[in-house]
């Protein structure tokens, strides 16, 4: 703790990065954290708060004054300003309003611009700070202006110069590697005309689905992309660090959805929120489980006459559930990664049915033998073997069809498909096993 | 199909990006694909092949000559060369050897350098093409050299100039945005000394865990990082597009591991491979299921005297399995994202136990009432309620402890934790329910 205070108070010399500070803070107890956050250099508080897991945000807010908080916002880039203000609102709307009031007009406007966008729109992720010039500017003047802006800390992490017309319509993108070899005494336009390179910008539309934008970055190996509105007016840019975060968030979302967990609730400091969200999913699963029990109830007589059936019956359902989860996970993930193209559904289905039948057969034989030996009833082996094939087939079939179908209906394949699948494998598992037993054994 | 051929054969004018070509090819049938791949411009074949999902690689190899393939390799950047050669070896070792023989010495050497690294080492992902200079070079000479290299297509996507000493030891990293505002008539060294900025490079070691390197990129918002060996000699660089791929791959790996699927096998064209890998996981699960059945078998007498128990018993196990999967997924993912720090285990455990007990209580009451009404035995409600609490508690406890423990033992928490957890929730589910039933009801 003392060590951290020392570190932080000597920041001027050591130039610690916000994420390093966040890493140190994370190791502290709650009390120590409340103390230490006050020693974080005021111009870095914003970045540090955003680098910490969400649950710390409340502690940050509680231990800093409104003045400190609004200064922290001022020091952030526009997309981070928005994120900071959103988290602040989640924690305390009143404080958020006070902080917002203290910001200067430009910051307020920028935050309001970004706030208009939905979470899944590209516009929500852009930084409004961009380095632009007109095509009739002479390169050396542009560079002089750039040097000044950099000195004033107005521009960070610049990789491109965006060329716009007088109404801010984006015309070209010039990489700094291209700019560097331009003739500095000529205008941008003259350089572009005489170059063999293409300066046509790869653009993202502000209301485009952010998932699509991420795909562009991945496919075209981009590290920055300009964002324009419907008229082609340059609004801002999205950079690689945003893309890292979004890729991670989407993967987390997907894993959580498959497991019936809500990503926002889990990141909240309030454990009750996460608990309630999980409960609602468990509630749906309870209905599934009760449905399966009803199926078992239909065979009460059969169970009574042969208790071995009760002992073995969870095996079939469990194997179906596991095989189905395998298929489901692969299909959901490949859909998200764009590895499954439009004409691909049939190929996936064939693959999954092939694997399902192959593994169904293997485990039918294995489990059939085990059941036969265990209870010394050969026909019991036949029953469990047949129902194993049926259930693994259904697991493979529905594990593929459910997400593919949801995707076609434009519903997120990760949400809900697990429940549908488990219902199928439980109901089919119990029904086929006990049904075949009733028919063959009794 | 005709349209695609037309597109491809008129490539010179349209300048299609490899990933656009890949997207078109993916929509084709197998026969059409074999035909169309021959029309892809030879200098783009390598990039197109790598942009396609892995299962297409065999078709690419079968439809192109050894000459075409080795020309394709020549046109790739070094990290892509390695990837291409590795995929080629997987498909056909003989062809791979022939292709390799045809490469020039420099390409051969580069591929061999990269091949030395393990899949999880940073070195395996680096490009060897970097833009370097000595500190006593005058900036304008460096830029002239840069212009020449760019014209010769030797350098792509440059964002930094790396300053090395005569023995290639990395001294500084200069961003192109910094280089642009340097005094071009002075040497690099003079510029660096007179600047207020820091040019100390953030470096990755070649044998460093690639996961750590990805964390650097994420935390420090980097878009490129130099890679050095143990002596500090500059070897290459890793860029943001590599990071996108790696983040995606790791997330896929994690999801697949949780579901008992092997990521390499699933991407292979050979469906048998994926099927076999899945079968081995299902085999482990079968042992788990049989263990659970043994537990049920211990209560044969109890089941015989009250068939309602057989009907209800899967509910407790199923709810435990689902609750446990929720906890497990959240803990595994947060561990991977670095959201759980060293001192955090206790906090996570407390959170999970709290949620487990809360939801255990809710579903104990709900299911207790349902069981009571359904079978008109009040004590049956008590039994299922108690065992629900016990099993959901165990699910939450082990769902958190298993991945945290595996992580401490430096074992990937995503591998194996699902099986351990399911064993716990199945065995505890059946044992607590049937045990309590024996004790209370009989």
């Amino acid at each position: 703790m003392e060590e951290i205070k020392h570190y932080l108070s000597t920041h001027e010399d050591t130039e610690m990065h916000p994420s390093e500070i966040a890493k140190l803070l994370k190791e502290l107890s709650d009390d120590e954290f409340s103390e230490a956050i006050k020693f974080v250099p005021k111009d870095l508080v914003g970045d540090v708060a955003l680098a910490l897991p969400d649950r710390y945000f409340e502690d940050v807010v509680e231990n800093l004054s409104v003045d400190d908080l609004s200064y922290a916002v001022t020091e952030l880039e526009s997309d981070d300003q928005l994120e900071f203000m959103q988290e602040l609102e989640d924690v305390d709307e009143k404080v958020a309003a006070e902080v917002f009031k203290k910001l200067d007009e430009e910051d307020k406007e920028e935050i309001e611009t970004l706030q208009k966008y939905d979470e899944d729109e590209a516009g929500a992720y852009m930084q409004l700070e961009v380095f632009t010039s007109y095509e009739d500017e002479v390169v050396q003047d542009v560079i002089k202006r750039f040097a000044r802006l950099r000195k004033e800390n107005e521009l960070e992490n610049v990789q491109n110069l965006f060329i716009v017309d007088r109404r801010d319509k984006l015309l070209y993108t010039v990489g700094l590697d291209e700019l560097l070899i331009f003739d500095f005494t000529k205008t941008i336009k003259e350089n572009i005309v005489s170059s063999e390179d293409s300066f046509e910008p790869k653009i993202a539309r502000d209301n485009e689905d952010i998932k699509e934008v991420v795909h562009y970055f991945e496919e075209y190996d981009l590290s920055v992309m300009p964002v324009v509105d419907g008229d082609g007016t340059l609004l801002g840019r999205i950079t690689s660090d945003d893309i890292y975060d979004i890729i991670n968030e989407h993967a987390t979302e997907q894993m959580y959805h498959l497991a019936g967990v809500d990503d926002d609730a889990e990141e909240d400091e309030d454990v009750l929120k996460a608990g309630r969200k999980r409960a609602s999913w468990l509630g749906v699963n309870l209905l599934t489980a009760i449905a399966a029990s009803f199926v078992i109830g239909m065979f009460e007589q059969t169970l009574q006459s042969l208790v071995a059936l009760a002992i073995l019956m969870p095996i079939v359902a469990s194997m179906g559930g596991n095989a189905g989860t395998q298929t489901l996970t692969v299909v959901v993930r490949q859909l998200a990664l764009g590895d499954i193209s439009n004409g691909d559904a049939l190929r996936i289905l064939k693959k999954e049915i092939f694997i399902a039948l192959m593994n169904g057969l293997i485990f039918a034989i294995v489990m059939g033998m085990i059941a036969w030996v265990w209870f010394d009833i050969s026909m019991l082996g036949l029953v469990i073997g047949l129902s194993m094939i049926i259930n693994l087939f259904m697991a493979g079939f529905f594990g593929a069809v459910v997400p593919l179908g949801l995707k076609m209906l434009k519903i997120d394949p990760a949400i809900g498909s697990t429940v549908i699948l488990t219902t199928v494998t439980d109901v089919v598992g119990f029904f086929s096993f006990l049904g075949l037993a009733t028919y063959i054994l009794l």
Side-chain angles (χ1 to χ4, degrees), chain A:
Chain A
M1 176 68 192
E2 281 312 312
E3 193 190 354
I4 292 169
K5 270 196 218 168
H6 176 74
Y7 260 126
L8 295 178
S9 50
T10 57
H11 152 76
E12 291 305 318
D13 314 359
T14 51
E15 283 199 47
M16 270 181 93
H17 190 278
S19 70
E20 286 175 78
I21 301 178
K23 208 179 270 174
L24 287 175
L25 290 173
K26 273 199 288 186
E27 301 295 328
L28 301 178
S29 71
D30 287 359
D31 288 345
E32 289 171 334
F33 181 91
S34 309
E35 187 63 18
I37 189 73
K38 296 172 189 157
F39 287 88
V40 174
K42 294 292 172 260
D43 54 331
L44 296 184
V45 164
D47 282 316
V48 170
L50 292 178
L52 284 164
D54 286 4
R55 62 176 181 279
Y56 287 97
F57 208 84
E58 198 168 331
D59 288 340
V60 174
V61 176
E62 276 169 11
N63 289 292
L64 295 176
S65 67
V66 169
D67 280 338
D68 283 349
L69 289 171
S70 74
Y71 179 65
V73 176
T74 313
E75 290 294 308
L76 290 170
E77 293 200 332
S78 45
D79 54 340
D80 294 333
Q81 288 186 333
L82 176 69
E83 202 184 330
F84 192 97
M85 288 306 298
Q86 278 171 341
E87 293 208 26
L88 191 54
E89 264 170 44
D90 287 346
V91 170
D92 190 332
E93 287 194 22
K94 232 187 84 204
V95 174
E98 286 173 37
V99 168
F100 188 77
K101 217 183 289 171
K102 281 195 187 287
L103 299 177
D104 62 34
E105 283 311 311
E106 200 192 325
D107 283 339
K108 279 185 194 166
E109 242 173 64
E110 288 183 352
I111 291 171
E112 278 167 350
T113 304
L114 291 173
Q115 248 166 354
K116 284 186 325 213
Y117 294 102
D118 276 347
E119 209 190 356
D120 59 350
E121 285 180 317
Y125 297 87
M126 64 185 176
Q127 275 165 37
L128 301 173
E129 298 82 2
V130 281
F131 174 36
T132 60
S133 88
Y134 300 126
E135 44 179 356
D136 54 6
E137 279 188 275
V138 176
V139 174
Q140 60 196 9
D141 296 338
V142 175
I143 291 174
K144 264 182 214 147
R145 193 156 47 82
F146 179 60
R148 204 174 54 240
L149 287 169
R150 261 189 62 92
K151 211 161 233 161
E152 291 163 2
N153 257 324
E154 293 288 324
L155 286 173
E156 278 175 48
N157 238 321
V158 173
Q159 294 166 32
N160 289 295
L161 167 67
F162 298 112
I163 316 297
V164 294
D165 68 13
R166 302 283 156 182
R167 290 184 313 181
D168 276 340
K169 202 168 153 326
L170 179 64
L171 302 175
Y172 309 104
T173 300
V174 178
L176 293 194
D177 53 343
E178 295 160 322
L179 187 63
L180 202 59
I181 57 177
F182 272 7
D183 182 338
F184 285 16
T185 61
K186 290 189 178 154
T187 65
I188 300 276
K189 178 85 190 180
E190 286 164 341
N191 273 291
I192 284 178
V193 168
S194 63
S195 168
E196 287 167 16
D197 292 344
S198 161
F199 298 92
E200 199 188 322
K202 284 235 165 302
I203 50 171
R205 278 280 298 278
D206 59 343
N207 54 6
E208 200 171 349
D209 187 341
I210 186 66
K211 287 204 175 87
E212 290 302 315
V213 177
V214 170
H215 279 307
Y216 281 136
F217 270 88
E218 291 167 347
E219 285 176 13
Y220 295 93
D221 294 350
L222 304 174
S223 55
V224 62
M225 228 174 152
V227 182
V228 301
D229 67 11
D231 301 325
T233 308
L234 179 65
L235 301 174
R237 61 168 192 162
I238 292 179
T239 47
S240 53
D241 55 302
D242 302 318
I243 302 300
Y244 306 148
D245 292 345
I246 299 166
I247 296 178
N248 269 322
E249 270 168 34
H250 286 173
T252 303
E253 209 180 273
Q254 217 167 42
M255 286 176 74
Y256 281 13
H257 284 169
L258 279 176
V261 178
D262 182 87
D263 47 324
D264 290 330
E266 293 295 331
E267 280 164 21
D268 203 280
E269 206 191 9
D270 184 0
V271 176
L272 263 179
K273 254 191 210 170
R276 268 202 302 268
K277 283 281 183 182
R278 292 200 206 170
S280 62
W281 171 267
L282 290 177
V284 176
N285 269 292
L286 184 62
L287 294 180
T288 299
I290 291 175
S293 289
F294 266 114
V295 172
I296 300 172
M298 289 162 56
F299 300 95
E300 209 176 316
Q301 303 254 307
T302 311
L303 281 168
Q304 230 146 13
S305 55
L306 188 61
V307 76
L309 296 175
I311 296 173
L312 291 177
M313 99 195 146
I315 294 179
V316 179
S318 157
M319 291 295 280
N322 281 309
T325 303
Q326 291 181 325
T327 300
L328 187 69
T329 304
V330 170
V331 175
V332 164
R333 185 62 181 159
Q334 292 192 347
L335 279 171
L337 291 175
D339 282 354
I340 297 179
S341 53
N342 296 332
D344 251 5
L346 203 64
R347 179 184 65 78
I348 296 292
L349 200 59
K350 273 191 208 156
K351 172 189 166 184
E352 292 303 331
I353 289 177
F354 174 81
I355 293 181
L357 287 176
M358 175 181 119
N359 287 345
L361 200 65
I362 293 172
F363 290 103
I365 295 170
V366 171
M367 194 55 224
M369 308 276 278
I370 292 174
W372 178 6
V373 173
W374 187 350
F375 295 96
D376 201 17
I377 308 170
S378 62
M379 281 322 220
L380 187 59
L382 180 69
V383 166
I384 201 166
L386 285 176
S387 77
M388 190 74 89
I389 293 177
I390 293 171
N391 205 24
L392 260 61
F393 170 77
M394 296 298 268
F397 180 77
F398 281 94
V401 160
V402 170
L404 289 170
L406 289 175
K407 176 83 180 185
M408 275 180 204
L409 298 171
K410 308 232 180 268
I411 300 172
D412 180 352
I415 300 183
S417 47
T418 310
V419 174
I420 302 178
L421 181 73
T422 324
T423 311
V424 170
T425 54
D426 275 2
V427 167
V428 171
F430 292 128
F431 187 84
S432 64
F433 180 61
L434 296 175
L436 284 169
T438 310
Y439 187 76
I440 294 177
L441 291 174
L442 302 184

